[in-house]
Amino acid sequence: MSDKIEWIAVDWGTTNLRCFAISPEGQVINTAESDQGMAAVNEKGGDFEGTLLSIIDHWLDPGRNPPVIACGMVGAKQGWQEVPYDEAPCSPRTSLTKVNTESGVIDVWIHAGVKQSEPADVMRGEETQISGFLAMEPEFAGMICLPGTHSKWAKIVDGAIHTFSSSMTGEVFDLLSKHSILRHSVGSDEWNDDSFAEGVRESFEHPAKVLNRLFSIRARDLLQQSDKSGAKAYLSGSLIGLEMAGVLENLSIEEVIIIGSPGVSERYQTALASLNIPTRCFSSGDITLKGLESGYRIINC
Amino acid sequence: MSDKIEWIAVDWGTTNLRCFAISPEGQVINTAESDQGMAAVNEKGGDFEGTLLSIIDHWLDPGRNPPVIACGMVGAKQGWQEVPYDEAPCSPRTSLTKVNTESGVIDVWIHAGVKQSEPADVMRGEETQISGFLAMEPEFAGMICLPGTHSKWAKIVDGAIHTFSSSMTGEVFDLLSKHSILRHSVGSDEWNDDSFAEGVRESFEHPAKVLNRLFSIRARDLLQQSDKSGAKAYLSGSLIGLEMAGVLENLSIEEVIIIGSPGVSERYQTALASLNIPTRCFSSGDITLKGLESGYRIINC
């Protein structure tokens, strides 16, 4: 490659692998994205090093080994190499573990995830996003929400992850909308904002009734009391409202930072707005890069 | 057949078909059980009449047509013939609709289900069980719980179903334990009573935190804070406790009647005992027969 690469950032989750070639000035000069997430690599025998090299090989000049900084499930037990968790309260700029590579072509470091003992919880990858956000706003204190399959809420105090909690919101939504009896009622791809807001409000106010609220989606459909376009939004709102009832139970919150992909972030922003909680949204892609950059600075010291 | 059959009771749900030949004295003189529930019949083209005849044909004497009284999903839109719901508040001894048979060999009546407008809810089959229980205890007033895939709680006032609510407890348990990330943690068939009680108590006291509580099962497993034998029981307890938090929210309850299969009834009994609520359990099979008998008396008047 003509442009000199200072280091390589790798965001390696369960389902995706994203690589970024970074210049000495900190600019992204090349990117590569692949569906070879941790799960896919494991299915093909677990050759993480070969998978990474096949994607970034043409970025490498002979005799030069720009360091690779990775985060995400690649550091899990089922990943490339198990990296022990740091334990909260701790800095989101977690420790880095050098991988034992076989080729000798690249040097790879993986970000530690963060664990919490009571209540038991874990994250891998989100700590890097939080680190990226705090690199931009080091004085921030308050709540950061990272919506997704397993949504995380982290309370930031003095630049550290003080406590955090994960909720199975995204996965439960996926299971219910695709594999439960509700699949007959939420099949439409239409979206209804009022139904979403209704689901959020009802679950936030009466979280205990959620298992009944879910069945009511089917009943309303059978009794033709609702058009189907509202059902999926109501289901989504019911689960996000439940998550928020659990997280915001005893908190008065001035602002929530949302870090995620645009679609799901917007839902969380809308839900929080209906609870009169202001938000600022950041793209998880950009923020992850900033977090990996913080990691690179550690190993480059 | 040598014994005379007065009528035939049929419990026809989504997954099973159970038939009972009843003597003039009200005794069960023959039974037949099949996996030809509504779903299986529909998969093979929807010949409900042929399916039923193939099972009870050898019970029938030429020229005699003992009436058939059926309940359950056989009366749903996807069933043999859609039977309109009665609307709560109403007697659980619901109206009966005569099916338009093609063979002329049998006369079949199907129990109406019960619907509720606000909150929207439906039942098909459980009304017959409630009717069977009230045939034994006509003066009963209070709560009847029918645990299962979609658990029902019915409030009985003056011999009628006053209100009722369904919860997706059983289906959510099934999805989470078999198809979510929790399947890695709840794979053991062992059961731990203490973990079940812990799940019930935590969800009953803090229902809003259930989505986080579910993730904690995975986290505890990853952090090796619990042995796997407790995980399935904790998951079950968490969901049943959540259901009860929703149903029992504003009620002081003297006693709950549980009608179900032995395994699941025992879990609900244990959960309610931990909340200091006395229960009496009845087998859903016996009770359904009593309910169908009440239906037979209506068409035989």
Side-chain angles (χ1 to χ4, degrees):
Chain A
M1 296 208 33
S2 51
D3 293 321
K4 194 180 161 201
I5 294 175
E6 174 85 6
W7 64 285
I8 294 171
V10 172
D11 178 9
W12 207 335
T14 304
T15 49
N16 288 294
L17 165 58
R18 296 184 189 90
C19 304
F20 307 85
I22 313 292
S23 76
E25 295 75 31
Q27 300 301 310
V28 175
I29 52 179
N30 219 328
T31 66
E33 188 160 346
S34 147
D35 60 1
Q36 294 301 300
M38 179 191 74
V41 176
N42 276 329
E43 268 185 24
K44 295 195 304 182
D47 181 7
F48 286 87
E49 187 169 350
T51 302
L52 180 61
L53 280 174
S54 72
I55 288 170
I56 64 169
D57 197 38
H58 63 288
W59 293 354
L60 307 175
D61 290 324
R64 283 206 69 252
N65 299 335
V68 175
I69 313 295
C71 70
M73 289 302 283
V74 66
K77 188 184 281 185
Q78 305 81 11
W80 189 345
Q81 180 172 311
E82 187 174 7
V83 175
Y85 297 100
D86 286 0
E87 179 158 6
C90 64
S91 166
R93 204 174 158 189
T94 54
S95 52
L96 289 152
T97 296
K98 193 170 182 186
V99 177
N100 303 313
T101 54
E102 289 172 8
S103 66
V105 176
I106 43 174
D107 290 329
V108 180
W109 282 262
I110 299 179
H111 256 278
V114 178
K115 70 177 176 181
Q116 178 176 274
S117 298
E118 189 54 41
D121 218 317
V122 291
M123 62 167 73
R124 278 201 192 274
E126 292 87 354
E127 76 294 331
T128 305
Q129 298 181 29
I130 296 170
S131 171
F133 174 75
L134 290 180
M136 298 188 307
E137 301 192 17
E139 302 303 319
F140 176 83
M143 292 294 275
I144 298 180
C145 168
L146 305 109
T149 304
H150 301 146
S151 295
K152 314 277 181 194
W153 289 72
K155 186 178 178 186
I156 307 302
V157 178
D158 294 335
I161 298 173
H162 186 70
T163 53
F164 67 102
S165 78
S166 308
S167 294
M168 284 185 64
T169 316
E171 184 167 5
V172 170
F173 174 77
D174 206 55
L175 284 172
L176 289 173
S177 56
K178 292 181 187 156
H179 301 290
S180 81
I181 194 163
L182 300 185
R183 70 187 185 279
H184 304 298
S185 306
V186 303
S188 164
D189 274 335
E190 290 178 78
W191 189 262
N192 182 315
D193 287 336
D194 291 341
S195 298
F196 179 76
E198 184 192 356
V200 171
R201 192 186 63 248
E202 289 181 2
S203 273
F204 193 81
E205 290 175 2
H206 303 288
K209 291 192 178 297
V210 68
L211 289 170
N212 174 234
R213 190 168 298 118
L214 297 177
F215 187 82
S216 77
I217 295 172
R218 177 68 179 154
R220 285 204 273 186
D221 185 20
L222 286 171
L223 301 177
Q224 298 175 322
Q225 286 184 348
S226 65
D227 68 284
K228 290 201 187 220
S229 76
K232 185 178 271 184
Y234 180 78
L235 172 61
S236 173
S238 296
L239 294 172
I240 291 174
L242 177 63
E243 175 186 329
M244 291 183 178
V247 175
L248 305 176
E249 216 170 20
N250 296 307
L251 286 169
S252 66
I253 299 223
E254 286 175 21
E255 176 197 45
V256 171
I257 302 301
I258 300 175
I259 302 173
S261 57
V264 68
S265 290
E266 196 190 328
R267 291 192 194 177
Y268 276 69
Q269 189 167 39
T270 304
L272 285 162
S274 75
L275 304 172
N276 296 315
I277 298 176
T279 51
R280 283 186 291 148
C281 288
F282 296 85
S283 153
S284 47
D286 300 344
I287 290 278
T288 301
L289 258 183
K290 285 192 198 304
L292 289 167
E293 189 183 346
S294 291
Y296 171 63
R297 291 221 194 91
I298 294 176
I299 66 118
N300 200 36
C301 275
Chain B
M1 295 205 38
S2 50
D3 293 321
K4 194 178 161 201
I5 295 176
E6 173 86 6
W7 64 285
I8 293 170
V10 172
D11 178 9
W12 207 337
T14 303
T15 48
N16 288 295
L17 164 59
R18 294 185 190 90
C19 305
F20 307 85
I22 312 292
S23 74
E25 295 75 31
Q27 299 302 310
V28 175
I29 51 179
N30 219 328
T31 66
E33 188 160 344
S34 148
D35 60 2
Q36 294 301 300
M38 179 190 73
V41 176
N42 275 328
E43 266 185 25
K44 295 197 303 185
D47 181 7
F48 286 87
E49 187 169 348
T51 302
L52 180 61
L53 280 174
S54 73
I55 288 170
I56 64 169
D57 196 38
H58 63 287
W59 293 354
L60 307 174
D61 290 325
R64 283 207 70 252
N65 299 336
V68 175
I69 313 295
C71 70
M73 290 301 284
V74 67
K77 187 184 280 184
Q78 303 83 8
W80 188 344
Q81 180 172 312
E82 187 174 8
V83 175
Y85 297 100
D86 287 0
E87 181 158 4
C90 65
S91 167
R93 205 175 156 187
T94 55
S95 51
L96 289 152
T97 296
K98 193 170 181 187
V99 177
N100 302 313
T101 54
E102 289 172 7
S103 65
V105 176
I106 43 174
D107 290 329
V108 179
W109 283 261
I110 299 180
H111 256 278
V114 177
K115 70 177 176 183
Q116 178 177 275
S117 298
E118 190 52 44
D121 218 317
V122 291
M123 63 168 73
R124 279 200 192 275
E126 291 87 353
E127 75 294 331
T128 305
Q129 298 180 31
I130 297 170
S131 171
F133 173 74
L134 291 180
M136 297 189 306
E137 301 193 18
E139 302 303 320
F140 175 83
M143 292 295 274
I144 298 180
C145 168
L146 305 109
T149 305
H150 302 146
S151 295
K152 315 278 180 192
W153 288 72
K155 186 178 178 185
I156 307 301
V157 178
D158 293 334
I161 298 173
H162 186 69
T163 53
F164 68 101
S165 79
S166 308
S167 295
M168 284 184 64
T169 317
E171 184 167 6
V172 170
F173 175 77
D174 206 53
L175 284 171
L176 289 172
S177 56
K178 291 182 187 155
H179 301 289
S180 82
I181 193 162
L182 301 185
R183 70 187 185 279
H184 304 298
S185 306
V186 303
S188 164
D189 275 335
E190 288 177 79
W191 190 262
N192 182 317
D193 288 336
D194 291 341
S195 299
F196 179 76
E198 184 191 357
V200 170
R201 191 187 64 246
E202 290 182 2
S203 273
F204 193 81
E205 290 175 3
H206 304 288
K209 291 193 178 295
V210 68
L211 290 170
N212 174 235
R213 190 167 299 120
L214 297 178
F215 187 82
S216 78
I217 295 171
R218 177 68 179 152
R220 285 204 273 186
D221 185 20
L222 286 171
L223 301 176
Q224 298 175 321
Q225 286 185 347
S226 64
D227 68 285
K228 290 202 186 218
S229 76
K232 184 177 270 182
Y234 181 78
L235 172 60
S236 174
S238 295
L239 294 172
I240 291 174
L242 177 62
E243 175 187 330
M244 290 183 179
V247 176
L248 305 177
E249 216 170 18
N250 296 307
L251 286 169
S252 67
I253 299 222
E254 287 175 21
E255 176 196 47
V256 171
I257 302 300
I258 300 174
I259 302 173
S261 56
V264 68
S265 290
E266 194 190 329
R267 291 192 195 178
Y268 276 68
Q269 188 168 40
T270 303
L272 285 163
S274 76
L275 304 172
N276 295 315
I277 298 175
T279 51
R280 283 186 291 148
C281 288
F282 296 85
S283 152
S284 47
D286 300 343
I287 289 279
T288 301
L289 257 184
K290 285 192 197 303
L292 289 166
E293 188 183 348
S294 291
Y296 171 63
R297 292 222 192 90
I298 293 176
I299 66 118
N300 200 37
C301 275

